[in-house]
């Protein structure tokens, strides 16, 4: 039996291209409600909407820069005034700057501000609009599995069942401080610490998913590794087309049991044990080079 979702609202961040665009496309086909394609760049966002219009699909558009507190606040006020609530939220907006395998402080901070800290702003302004039974998907990656981390102190903290957002923030801040003061240790991470900034931001995102689920019991919040997707971020690499990768996200939104909560789902729809620190789920840079 299909659920009547008339009047419902879905929001996808970072959706003008790649995976986010594919998720919007899939929702426009299957979600009985209004789908918001959002992006930082208004021109690119409207071009993306036009592409979907040409396919006979009708998403709505709103500008949203997840790294800007004012932008998120403004968007939340717009949604509250126009619709009152949100039923689906896909936190997809992310960056990865390939040029620096071992990034400087500014590059590392950019990654963490967009990939992780933006979720705290979204929690503050958009979570109060989530209806009972809403579904939230945080897009993680292979970098977001705990096996990417080797530092014993932080492994012990991040594995705590009573982990707090403050502790996740401390983990992120300590990494950034190590970049700033030159004490970064490659041995604290898998794969010689290559792109540790992305590992840190995605581990933090996945950990936050579980912390948020404990706080907001009336909604479903899950993290997903959508696979190695053929997008601009993959720089010509990638194994899955965006439409294929979007399937796992669409599954969590449209088909999964509402009791699936606080989990980490792999691109093959397999539930992965995030706490399995000795596994080889971690991201391997050599696969992409």
């Amino acid at each position: 039996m299909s659920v009547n979702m008339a009047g419902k609202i879905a929001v996808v961040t970072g959706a003008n291209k790649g995976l986010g665009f594919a998720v919007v496309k899939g929702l426009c086909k299957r979600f009985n409600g209004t789908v918001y394609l959002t992006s930082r760049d208004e021109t690119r966002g409207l071009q993306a909407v036009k592409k979907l219009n040409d396919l006979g699909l009708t998403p709505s558009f709103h500008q949203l820069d997840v790294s800007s507190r004012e932008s998120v606040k403004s968007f939340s006020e717009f949604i509250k005034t126009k619709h009152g609530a949100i039923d689906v939220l896909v936190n997809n907006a992310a960056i990865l700057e390939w040029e620096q395998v071992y990034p400087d402080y500014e590059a590392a901070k950019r990654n963490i501000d967009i990939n992780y800290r933006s979720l705290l702003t979204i929690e503050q302004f958009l979570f109060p609009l989530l209806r009972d039974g809403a579904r939230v998907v945080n897009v993680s990656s292979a970098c977001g599995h705990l096996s990417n981390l080797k530092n014993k102190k932080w492994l012990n903290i991040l594995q705590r069942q009573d982990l707090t957002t403050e502790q996740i923030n401390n983990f992120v801040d300590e990494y950034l401080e190590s970049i700033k003061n030159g004490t970064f240790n490659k041995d604290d991470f898998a794969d010689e610490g290559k792109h540790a900034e992305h590992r840190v931001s995605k581990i933090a995102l996945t950990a936050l998913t579980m912390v948020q689920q404990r706080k907001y019991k009336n909604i479903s919040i899950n993290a997903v590794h959508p696979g190695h997707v053929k997008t601009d971020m993959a720089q010509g690499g990638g194994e899955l087309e965006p439409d294929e990768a979007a399937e796992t996200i669409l599954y969590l939104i449209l088909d999964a049991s509402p009791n699936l909560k606080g989990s980490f789902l792999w691109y093959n729809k397999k539930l992965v044990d995030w706490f399995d620190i000795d596994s080889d789920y971690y991201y391997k840079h050599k696969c992409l080079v």
Side-chain angles (χ1 to χ4, degrees):
M1 186 182 75
S2 64
V3 180
N4 179 14
M5 293 183 124
K8 297 203 169 186
I9 304 299
V11 174
V12 184
T13 71
N16 62 286
K17 62 182 179 180
L19 181 60
F21 180 81
V23 171
V24 169
K25 188 200 295 182
L27 285 173
C28 284
K29 290 176 179 175
R30 295 182 54 200
F31 178 80
N32 190 7
T34 304
V35 183
Y36 275 93
L37 183 157
T38 73
S39 67
R40 181 169 52 93
D41 186 300
E42 185 164 348
T43 303
R44 288 177 185 165
L46 291 170
Q47 286 169 349
V49 167
K50 172 75 169 63
K51 281 184 197 166
L52 292 172
N53 290 161
D54 291 345
L55 297 173
L57 304 173
T58 54
S60 295
F61 174 76
H62 200 284
Q63 192 273 342
L64 176 60
D65 177 358
V66 297
S67 66
S68 160
R69 187 178 174 81
E70 282 311 307
S71 179
V72 178
K73 184 168 184 266
S74 168
F75 178 64
S76 73
E77 288 165 353
F78 165 79
I79 291 289
K80 186 175 184 181
T81 303
K82 183 155 187 183
H83 303 289
I86 296 171
D87 301 275
V88 170
L89 174 60
V90 181
N91 291 311
N92 168 73
I95 61 164
L96 172 54
E97 298 175 60
W98 285 103
E99 296 76 21
Q100 300 178 48
V101 175
Y102 297 104
D104 59 26
Y105 175 77
E106 289 305 322
K109 183 177 181 298
R110 269 196 304 275
N111 184 293
I112 282 161
D113 282 349
I114 291 174
N115 296 2
Y116 169 64
R117 286 177 174 151
S118 69
L119 295 182
L120 303 176
T121 313
I122 283 168
E123 180 178 351
Q124 181 182 351
F125 292 111
L126 296 185
F127 271 44
L129 301 179
L130 291 170
R131 238 188 285 265
D132 278 1
R135 298 196 176 197
V136 178
V137 179
N138 293 330
V139 179
S140 186
S141 79
C143 282
H145 192 274
L146 206 50
S147 58
N148 285 276
L149 188 61
K150 300 301 174 190
N151 179 293
K152 289 283 187 285
K153 180 186 101 171
W154 282 112
L155 282 172
N156 288 337
I157 291 170
L158 291 169
Q159 289 181 93
R160 291 174 62 116
Q161 294 301 312
D162 60 351
L163 180 69
T164 65
T165 302
E166 185 180 18
Q167 287 170 322
I168 303 172
N169 291 342
N170 290 342
F171 159 62
V172 165
D173 291 342
E174 196 165 294
Y175 160 72
L176 282 175
E177 194 57 37
S178 78
I179 299 295
K180 188 185 264 184
N181 64 26
T183 59
F184 169 71
N185 182 358
K186 295 177 184 178
D187 295 335
D188 283 344
F189 297 90
D191 200 27
E192 300 172 346
K194 291 168 183 164
H195 283 298
E197 83 287 4
H198 205 61
R199 298 175 202 269
V200 168
S201 69
K202 291 298 189 179
I203 288 169
L205 171 149
T206 312
L208 183 68
T209 301
M210 299 170 200
V211 171
Q212 288 177 333
Q213 185 66 84
R214 285 206 316 272
K215 282 161 68 177
Y216 307 101
K217 294 184 170 61
N218 61 332
I219 59 179
S220 303
I221 312 173
N222 294 287
V224 62
H225 164 38
H228 185 198
V229 191
K230 295 177 183 176
T231 61
D232 289 355
M233 194 186 280
Q235 297 245 311
E239 294 154 5
L240 293 174
E241 294 294 341
D243 286 350
E244 295 176 277
E247 282 303 314
T248 308
I249 296 168
L250 294 167
Y251 165 76
L252 281 170
I253 295 166
L254 300 166
D255 303 319
S257 162
N259 298 319
L260 183 62
K261 293 184 169 190
S263 69
F264 190 19
L265 204 67
W266 221 240
Y267 58 89
N268 53 7
K269 300 190 180 77
K270 176 185 167 189
L271 278 172
V272 164
D273 181 3
W274 189 69
F275 298 100
D276 184 3
I277 59 174
D278 298 317
S279 67
D280 69 343
Y281 286 118
Y282 64 87
Y283 160 83
K284 299 153 192 82
H285 187 259
K286 69 178 186 315
C287 298
L288 308 185
V289 177

